[in-house]
Amino acid sequence: MAARTATISRKTNETQIEVSINLDCQPGSASEQVIDIATGIGFLDHMYHALAKHSGWSLTLKAQGDLWIDDHHTADTEPDLARALTQDTAIALGTAFKQALGEVRGIRRYGTGFAPLDEALSRAVIDICSRPYCVTDLGIKREKIGDLSTEMFPHIFYSFAMASGCTLHVDVLRGQNDHHRAESAFKALALAIRQATERTGGNDIPSTKGVL
């Protein structure tokens, strides 16, 4: 079977991001899983590590940006460039995922994941359909978790969905601890992705239209 891998670079005036991904590093596969994340935002690294681990990916993601200005661009550490970095990492990751997956053929296409973390429970549903859409309901109340602004979580999921061409629904069903709510959401997404990208053993396009 062809390797489902990709390496991409994303450079803007604010951020520089390098991503390498291998979609097929689940336990029992021929490829060792290696995860190396460095965005400069600790909790964002933690979330991407959880996403890669439970998706069965090997993932290297390196990001540099002007975090002293803000974390929106890398993720959201003060208000405005960490934001760029956070958002841009999600765009780069979604782009790499789409490139590694290639033509949507011979996979399950749909995936659903439920992930508990103590009292928190999240559900994620994905459709790899080339019709990007994203709905999130996370219910997180804190302004920050660690050094990551929580307002960036919907941006991360949205940016990944748009760049990857997926329809994505992520809902935190319950939970008191916002750290647990966020982490269970990323883990649920990982399980949904793992199911959706599973090879069926065939070579068909999983659509009645015959094209995705």
Side-chain angles (χ1 to χ4, degrees):
M1 290 185 181
R4 298 190 293 181
T5 63
T7 298
I8 68 118
S9 297
R10 176 178 171 85
K11 296 181 182 179
T12 72
N13 290 335
E14 298 165 322
T15 64
Q16 179 174 334
I17 299 161
E18 307 284 338
V19 179
S20 293
I21 190 170
N22 182 338
L23 303 184
D24 299 305
C25 296
Q26 299 86 356
S29 70
S31 300
E32 179 184 2
Q33 187 178 40
V34 178
I35 302 171
D36 186 9
I37 315 289
T39 66
I41 299 173
F43 195 74
L44 182 62
D45 292 355
H46 181 41
M47 294 300 96
Y48 281 149
H49 193 283
L51 179 64
K53 177 65 177 179
H54 297 288
S55 294
W57 299 344
S58 278
L59 178 66
T60 298
L61 191 158
K62 305 289 185 180
Q64 293 181 327
D66 297 326
L67 290 179
W68 60 275
I69 298 176
D70 183 307
D71 57 352
H72 184 126
H73 285 27
T74 173
D76 237 293
T77 283
E78 301 259 341
D80 247 28
L81 217 314
R83 288 182 155 166
L85 186 44
T86 297
Q87 197 166 16
D88 286 350
T89 56
I91 293 170
L93 182 58
T95 301
F97 172 78
K98 183 176 183 179
Q99 183 175 318
L101 190 60
E103 184 180 12
V104 182
R105 180 186 290 273
I107 63 168
R108 295 185 64 174
R109 174 181 165 180
Y110 297 101
T112 302
F114 287 86
L117 181 54
D118 295 344
E119 88 297 346
L121 176 65
S122 293
R123 175 188 62 220
V125 183
I126 192 170
D127 178 10
I128 303 174
C129 59
S130 301
R131 294 191 306 277
Y133 201 85
C134 184
V135 179
T136 57
D137 186 1
L138 308 179
I140 294 174
K141 297 179 173 59
R142 286 168 56 181
E143 182 178 346
K144 286 190 174 185
I145 301 177
D147 47 3
L148 177 60
S149 299
T150 57
E151 68 176 5
M152 290 311 300
F153 287 125
H155 290 288
I156 293 168
F157 293 125
Y158 176 86
S159 296
F160 178 83
M162 296 302 110
S164 65
C166 296
T167 291
L168 182 61
H169 292 255
V170 182
D171 298 277
V172 178
L173 304 177
R174 64 177 65 93
Q176 299 300 315
N177 182 299
D178 281 347
H179 181 143
H180 293 172
R181 293 177 74 94
E183 187 169 344
S184 69
F186 277 85
K187 288 178 176 178
L189 175 57
L191 296 176
I193 289 172
R194 186 166 177 167
Q195 184 181 92
T197 57
E198 181 182 341
R199 287 182 163 117
T200 62
N203 195 42
D204 65 307
I205 295 172
S207 171
T208 56
K209 296 177 181 179
V211 63
L212 283 171

